[in-house]
Amino acid sequence: MIGNFGALNRANGELTASGLYDPALEHDSCGVGFIAKLDGVATHQIIRDSITVLVNLEHRGALGGDKSTGDGAGIMMQIPDTFLRQETADSGIVLPRVGDYAVGMLFLPANNSLAANCRNIFEKIVADEGCEIFGWRPVPVDPVSIGEQARKTMPAIEQVFIDRAKISAGAFERKLYVIRRLTEKQVAELPADTSQFYIVSLSVHRLVYKGLLTANQLPNFYPDLADERFISRFGVIHQRYSTNTLPTWNLAQPFRFIAHNGEINTLSGNINRMRTREFNLQSPLFGDDIEKIKPIIVGSGSDSAIFDNVLELLVLSGRSLPHAMMMMVPEAYGPKIQMSEDKRAFYDFHSSIMEPWDGPAAIVFCDERYLGGILDRNGLRPARYTITSDGLVVLASETGVLDIPPEKIIKRSRLSPGKMLLADFNQNRVVPDKEIKAKISRQKPYRRWIKDNIITLRGLFNPSSAPSENDEILLQKQHAFGYTAEELKMLISPMASRSQEPVGAMGNDTPLAILSDRPQLLFNYFKQRFAQVTNPPIDPLREELVMSLETFAGGEGNLLEETPENFRGFRFSHPVLTPDDLLRIEQANHPSIKVAYLDILFERNGGPQALEQALDNLFEAAAKCIADGATLLILTDRNINAGQVPVPSLLAVSGLHHFLVRQGLRNRASLIVDSGEVREVMHFTLLVGYGADAICPYLAFYTVRNLALNGLLEQDLKPEEAVDSYIIAVKKGFLKTMSRLGISTLHSFFAAQTFETIGISQEVIDRYFTDTINRLGGLDLADIRNEAVLRHSAGFPLTGNVRNLLDTGGEYSLRADGPRHGWNPSAIAKLQTATRADDYEIFKDYVRIVNESDATPPTIRKLLTFKARPPVPIDEVEPVESIQKRFAASAMSFGSISPEAHRTIAIAMNRLGARSNSGEGGEDPQRVTVLPNGDCANSKVKQVASGRFGVTPAYLISAEELQIKIAQGAKPGEGGQLPGHKVTDEIARVRNTTPGVTLISPPPHHDIYSIEDLSQLIFDLKCVNPTAKISVKLVSESGVGTIAAGVAKAKADLVLISGYEGGTGAAPLTSIKHTGIPWEIGLAETHQTLIFNKLRDKVRVQVDGQLKTGRDLAVAALLGAEEFGFATAILITLGCVMLRKCHLNSCAVGVATQDPRLRVNFQGRPEYIERFFRFLAQDFREVMSELGFRTVAEMVGRSDILAYQPPADSGKSAKFDLNPLINAMTNTTAVCGISRSEKVAAFDDELIRLTAPAVERKEPVALDLDIRNTYRTVGARLSGEIVKKYGAAGLPDDTIRINFRGSAGQSFGAFLAPGISLKIEGDTNDYLGKSMSGGRVVLVPPPNSAFAPHENVICGNVVLYGATGGEVFINGKAGERFAIRNSGALAVVEGIGSHGCEYMTGGVVVVIGSTGSNFAAGMSGGIAYIYDETQLFDTKCNLDMVDLESVWDKKDKLFLHSILEKHWRFTKSPHTRAILDKWDSNLPLFVKVIPIDYRKSLERMKLSEHTDVETVSATEEVFNG
Amino acid sequence: MAKDPGFLKYKRHNPTKVAPADRIRNFKEFEIPLNESGLANQAMRCMDCGIPFCHAAGCPLVNHIPDWNSMVYHAHWQKALALLHATNNFPEFTGRICPAPCEYACTLAIHDSPVTIRHLELQIVEKGWHAGWIKPQIIPNKTGKKIAVIGSGPSGLAAAQQLIRAGHAVVVFEKRDRIGGLLRYGVPDFKLDKAVIDRRLAQMEAEGVVFEPGVDVGRDISPRYLKRTYDAIVIATGTTVARDLAIPGRQLAGIHLAMDYLIQQNQINAGYVISPEQIITAKDKDVIVLGGGDTGSDCVGTAHRQGAKSIAQVEILPQPPGSRTLYNAWPAWPQILMTSSSHEEGCERLFGLSAKSFEGTDNVRQVTFARLEWTEPDKNGARTSREIAGSQFCLKADLVLLAFGFLHVEHGNLVHELGIVTDSRGNIVVDQHYVTSEAKFFATGDAVSGASLIVKAIYNGRQVAAAVDNFLSGS
């Protein structure tokens, strides 16, 4: 690879892993759809329409580095019999009648002889399996029109025709599957590079044409598709967007059964569990053939391909396609969901044999009979459909992809979460979701089967017992399992006291476990992975109804069979067991439950091999127990004693799990861990993630009890209550950990290994943690043993005297006898003195302390050394002033830090010509004004985060850079919450919310569920502010490079890689310590991946995370960063002394508090920051001079200058290997990112021209225009122009009036400014009115449409996200998450999907129709009125934060009436007219939803306004409330 | 959630003291402890900082201050005591006489007043004594190794206690006739009641430490003998050689080294009979204390109690500023004007004066001073002085006490006989394992570092014990 990064490793364009770049970590996402004619008559029009749909979804795909290669597009259709019959006739092939022959579509190696080899293998297998080949047909292609990279990797494309011969018609499709698997396996064994070989489709019914193409290229590339004889009754289409630029032909979609838009979050768990099931697979339909298809999952597939593999197995082994889809993509069926009991039983039963394949997924599926689409339980992907009076069904990621005369439309709707749309060609009709599911749910007596075979552990509903332990023995065991006093105080006590995960602040500055000089629990060598961009995290609190921690214990049966005994065992509502529960399990007295205890201990004096020996013995013993019929294996370390050391529980469980998987025994028994080691959330999640079915943390329970008895909890609790509280905290921790990954159920999280390791040897990983991401080497088994023995000897010292105090700890707060911290007293004191006294000499003392001192911990950057190069004189090095331009203050909102601190940072950064960052939460518009002394407190970088607080057009155009925060270092994959007491008047004003009302930032951006969504948001932002650079903030983890590549392809200008160490805000301690990885690894991977993908010159790379000295900057630059972000160091110059109390509002130095009593203590000054950066740049210059670099630009990516010398003296860290960070890119002269300068073109450019009189002179303008879904983000740029000219107040109402006809694209009316009124006759896609700040959007169906507006969906998901003003009137239904995080807009709509008004903080929403479930989750402000004819609304409303009332107040009644009148005026909605006409009888059916805190705040505000005026009498409120 | 932190609820509350007019009538301690709820409130002011500067930067003993604060707040006094003893053998000494650098490094000291750390420490340990929680810790398994500790000041005692608890046999040799070193003889009783020492010594004796007072190693027994007889020897003899002032008139009567004066008063309080001609007293005299440090302060307090007519304390350096300067920022020890309890009792404080000569016939009658002009300190605090021409003046004095600090360890037979290497300042040189130039001889405390704080002495005593233990278990 060296020196030639354009080279492709394999013929198909796949790269093999090199350095830190690993193609296995790629993601994709896309646009998807289908068209079907229900009468079943095949026409060529269907093909043409399918291609039209595909082309109209093209903006959802992406282009590669060469700007012309698409990421993939394709179409699946019926086999066009006539066409093929006639085409093959010339070559003498006579095809038998339809159904008796199959067509294979094959990609063959471009190399002729290799292709011949492949063909031979295929032919031989066909013959061996009892079929015959008629012949081959080279598929005509036109490679001229396709991209360069696509052409380079283009395979030979041929069709093959197969006679079923002696195989029966019913078994033919199955046999084709066997043939395909056998061929795939044999070809893979050829010694040559056969990566191009791929069987696109091989079926009696279906044919797939696809390739590494764009939608437009597809019909040109395959001339067949244009042939009139090419007919089908359906077409399934797909347009791909991959995160890297070297996608392959094979990974284009559709696959054989599905096309998928989204991402399977749970993939690793699904793959691992399928592997465990493979051994047990048996099917009468397959018979002996079953062995031929194994392994079921084909190695190099994408998530969608793997899903397809498993679905294929389920369908071909006899389940119907909808049944199989219900198994793999179950809807949420938790207790909060209203559902038929039989359907619940169906899901219950199947959950014990198949875990959900969850993720933001819209999947289109198809076999000979059915064609359908399904959405996962979270419903995060859009899927809109239209049914016409002449029997056409069109489903696609967007509406408006096919022009259909309005009068023919009889239904417009959308798929809702977990629901299915199914066309049945046997019945020639669409089967409703309820009907098909009811039928399948009753095909077997699932309800009875469950009752008979699954025992629900009743004990879990009893109060947990709190077992006691003698104080001395407790202390001894705590010593032996490495407990520290700090853990008791910081972790266990908050969990037991408040049922909460403990929270901390100011990041993590202790060394990685592998670099620590003290023994570490094995858990600490693992880091949690998390979702960013390609899949969204979940909000487990507000969207709890989709989550489940249920787990099963017992033996599992054969996946391919449905029998009552398929699963027999226990059902636990969560995986945490008390010792009492264990007892109950033991005494269960059930024939199929047999418990076996296995000690996980090794001999202390057994020598270095003792651990390995103990593991081998454990595995053997377990296998024997299973052979003897055990179904529950309890791994216990309770029998610890002076001679017996506990095996790290994670090693024991994961090692055994993998052993049993390899032996094919895993499904026959469940593993329960009974260990004293387990106490933190991270420990529990790791154990389940590596194969524990349940866990009993006995020592943690003893400890909790002891704390409760000694009054050491934060409040007085009985031991039993404390234990319960602790369990609840662990459960919440599970939910949070899963949510970070976007996983909803523990079934999918189980054994999914959603972790990566830092500091474990590959040998240990391969053997005991197989397939875990692990790249830098480290501990071997002997080291693990040594650390275990060291811990053990604290509890069982040779002297016999156990210390009376636990180790103090010092991980979270510094302790002199604990681990070293990056920020220590002397470093802080020196930095503060240096910047206050303006003394560079003192700054150099600080630099020495940080770089060289033994007092600071080893970090990866410290271990990397520089190779000697001829120095250059320092005066030839670029000046301080130019280096400073590369500096940025990292995002810190002024909700988290005080307004004084926030302003001071902005002023300082502006003085330096560097950039400060507003952080999430807006910024006071006043700050744009230049101060009399020439200073300006406007942050050049404005952040756009998931809460969208204060994101208005004015805010966005005041920025030079707009930063989309995908994740933050301290807590990637999580949202945030600003508690009400911190929401001051000032904060509320800037965030457009109400003082005192809690503000919630959701974990995901609700307009970024995938990479193409990110691309859309970037487009939105570039529309509203065409001159701003767009940056995307990511957090370092394995695979971040691939995401960065996707970000670059989404046309971002800058990507920020944030290290896990950094983070100034409040975050759960689990997140601070255990999620994310150091920036060095993520940065190196990002740089390498961008180079590999030829994208490095398209995007700038910034890094942050505890950067402190010029040396740090040098390492960062050499690893690939050209800009540098800082937060903690800035705060320290401003007076921060690392109290780590940011989350408590009690910062005594006035930096991170809103308390006016403490803010007076703030003594920071802009000069301190200026000096810090001047000194830092100077220090950097000195390093540059020493290394012989004159400019930073020359340094970027020169990792060949770095060297790694493992520390010589220390044991375990000597095995740590950092060479992958620096080797792969040797000698490249990486091109520094050049900012994109081109302004993206948008439809608004035309609008701005047409509305010039209004924009320039405020003259009214009215326009009539056509629109279609490919016109995206209409209104945003126009709004930006207006706000730029007239300020946030915009233009007078209705100055610009535009009537559109057609289907609007995504983000219609986004960022709309006052004075613009948009009306649309037709329908719209997602993100209508996103962040609108004024103006009006009216949406009505076309005047001549055939359907009743209020029964049809004419508007997409996520309407009014983050809106701060304006009005929306919709004469029809909208999708999910209507008015999410709305803080000021008024909206009327005639029906909505789930999660309506989620996180809303202000504004008014009126729904005159049904709502989906979970309405008002996290709604802290604003008011909603629901017209509730069924009076069942309260069952759909999330009542955690809101009250429901009738509309009784006179003012309220009038207000509501006036809104509806207005709605009628704008839309002429017949439904509204009907309601208004009988107002007196309809008014009582309205329910008013008002957040509890919001009402209090409103009352408070009212009271303060009119302290002497009696408002509403309290009694009246009580009566009516 | 939105509860105010303790420091916003409660202000710092110092323990009260007996009024100066009353307390100078005797030599008793005069601090009046806070009650239990008062202590809990003060402990609650602790913020439990992410970086506890008190612990990590302020306290040389690295006491786990936030941890025991929290235990006091939770009323877990016994646990607090255990935490305190884990780093400090003698909190009852440090709680009385440590100048508490921890409090100056307390994060609350930046904008508010620090937590009353020293007083909390004292009350934790005193509660422990009163409740009988402090018992001898007897180690059953003996190593059979014998160690001699020379000197019974805080460093020697800390080393001895640590070593006996490691299972070794320990003998402490003390030149004077009672155990305690500077604690017993140097610190006035009104700051440290000697019963406090006896209480701790009883515990140590019960743990097995053998005390041999009245044995001057080098004179009464030979260092070589020790070397033969013991497995390790720890020199903890302190720095007892005081700095003197060689100016005209120094030979006059009525001019004494501060330590001679302080020791004698402590001996009198302890019931020693001193012959009248040897008695140094300030009664009805004009007293000048030369030297502005703590020892000087102790002289002031002692002179008050003896009934001095007037007292002046003279410092050669200029008067320090009232608040911290740029380069003397928190959390460093503040170079500011400090007022000790002795100063509260009344005394004239003079700065920037250099004593030129003593005048008198037999006894001193007056002291001649010159005023000095000092340069501003550089960033390391260094400054130089110049005498102001014609600024000389005289002050009346019947008793002059010289409190200029100490030079180094005594270079007597112990050091000479073995040829133990000393540094340019006269202190014993040790390696990183506290070993002197002579094998088996370790050294610690002021004897190594020069005169320093009691907390450093205890810390070094603990460190040397660990080094000795390591040395013995390794061999």
Side-chain angles (χ1 to χ4, degrees), chain B residues 243-266:
Chain B
R243 186 177 280 119
D244 209 328
L245 183 65
I247 55 170
R250 170 68 182 87
Q251 77 291 348
L252 291 168
I255 302 173
H256 301 278
L257 291 173
M259 204 43 70
D260 293 342
Y261 173 69
L262 295 174
I263 288 172
Q264 191 188 71
Q265 182 59 51
N266 280 351

Side-chain angles (χ1 to χ4, degrees), chain A residues 1500-1515:
Chain A
R1500 254 201 317 273
M1501 285 158 74
K1502 218 186 247 172
L1503 215 63
S1504 66
E1505 272 171 34
H1506 325 268
T1507 32
D1508 50 351
V1509 182
E1510 183 91 31
T1511 48
V1512 184
S1513 93
T1515 8

Side-chain angles (χ1 to χ4, degrees), chain A residues 489 710 712 799 805 808 813-817 823 825 828 837 839 841 981 1137-1139 1141 1146 1148 1157-1158 1161 1163, chain B residues 2 4-5 7-8 47-53 55-57 62 64 67 76 82 86 107 111 141 326-327 330 379:
Chain A
K489 185 174 81 175
N710 285 314
L712 283 171
T799 60
L805 289 171
T808 37
S813 308
L814 182 140
R815 290 291 181 269
D817 46 357
W823 287 106
I828 290 176
D839 190 327
E841 265 181 63
H981 65 88
V1137 288
M1138 300 289 281
L1139 306 180
K1141 293 285 173 281
S1146 65
R1157 294 169 298 176
L1158 298 171
N1161 291 340
Q1163 288 178 353
Chain B
D4 271 352
F7 66 91
L8 283 180
M47 293 190 283
D48 190 12
C49 301
I51 297 182
F53 282 73
H55 151 85
V62 292
H64 287 111
D67 304 297
H76 278 279
T107 314
H111 299 292
N141 306 336
L326 197 52
Y327 283 103
W330 175 93
K379 65 180 93 161

Side-chain angles (χ1 to χ4, degrees), chain B residues 221-361:
Chain B
I221 49 171
S222 131
R224 282 193 230 291
Y225 168 76
L226 290 184
K227 188 169 180 176
R228 271 202 312 279
T229 320
Y230 290 89
D231 296 293
I233 302 97
V234 177
I235 302 171
T237 49
T239 95
T240 47
V241 181
R243 186 177 280 119
D244 209 328
L245 183 65
I247 55 170
R250 170 68 182 87
Q251 77 291 348
L252 291 168
I255 302 173
H256 301 278
L257 291 173
M259 204 43 70
D260 293 342
Y261 173 69
L262 295 174
I263 288 172
Q264 191 188 71
Q265 182 59 51
N266 280 351
Q267 287 174 326
I268 292 169
N269 292 349
Y272 286 52
V273 180
I274 312 282
S275 64
E277 63 273 19
Q278 283 185 316
I279 285 187
I280 314 167
T281 178
K283 189 165 174 56
D284 299 327
K285 288 179 182 166
D286 293 311
V287 180
I288 289 181
V289 178
L290 294 181
D294 286 341
T295 307
S297 236
D298 290 348
C299 292
V300 171
T302 303
H304 273 302
R305 282 159 181 75
Q306 290 176 345
K309 190 159 73 181
S310 78
I311 306 172
Q313 189 182 10
V314 180
E315 168 59 45
I316 193 165
L317 288 165
Q319 179 165 340
S323 60
R324 289 174 179 275
T325 55
L326 197 52
Y327 283 103
N328 178 225
W330 175 93
W333 177 260
Q335 310 291 336
I336 56 171
L337 183 65
M338 304 267 195
T339 303
S340 72
S341 64
S342 293
H343 295 142
E344 290 167 3
E345 291 156 7
C347 135
E348 193 179 359
R349 300 177 71 182
L350 302 165
F351 293 93
L353 301 182
S354 165
K356 304 306 289 181
S357 60
F358 302 109
E359 287 111 37
T361 43

Side-chain angles (χ1 to χ4, degrees), chain A residues 776-792:
Chain A
L776 302 175
L779 295 185
D780 56 28
L781 215 53
D783 299 316
I784 297 174
R785 175 201 167 269
N786 291 347
E787 299 211 323
V789 169
L790 274 172
R791 260 192 306 279
H792 179 262

Side-chain angles (χ1 to χ4, degrees), chain A residues 1242-1307:
Chain A
F1243 178 64
D1244 267 34
D1245 296 332
E1246 178 72 3
L1247 284 189
I1248 291 169
R1249 201 178 56 77
L1250 292 171
T1251 56
V1255 177
E1256 282 158 24
R1257 302 182 295 276
K1258 292 191 173 187
E1259 291 170 12
V1261 171
L1263 298 170
D1264 276 298
L1265 296 168
D1266 285 333
I1267 195 168
R1268 65 168 317 122
N1269 75 313
T1270 51
Y1271 299 178
R1272 296 179 294 150
T1273 323
V1274 168
R1277 185 164 289 174
L1278 178 59
S1279 298
E1281 282 295 309
I1282 287 170
V1283 171
K1284 214 180 290 170
K1285 201 145 181 198
Y1286 301 104
L1291 290 168
D1293 196 23
D1294 274 346
T1295 305
I1296 295 175
R1297 281 182 299 151
I1298 310 177
N1299 271 329
F1300 289 104
R1301 268 180 312 274
S1303 292
Q1306 289 166 292
S1307 302

Side-chain angles (χ1 to χ4, degrees), chain A residues 967-1004:
Chain A
Q968 66 188 80
K971 47 172 179 180
E974 284 174 61
Q977 187 162 331
L978 194 62
H981 65 88
K982 268 191 153 181
V983 183
T984 60
D985 289 356
E986 189 181 0
I987 289 177
R989 182 166 47 78
V990 174
R991 295 196 173 196
N992 295 88
T993 60
T994 316
V997 168
T998 296
L999 301 178
I1000 300 162
S1001 296

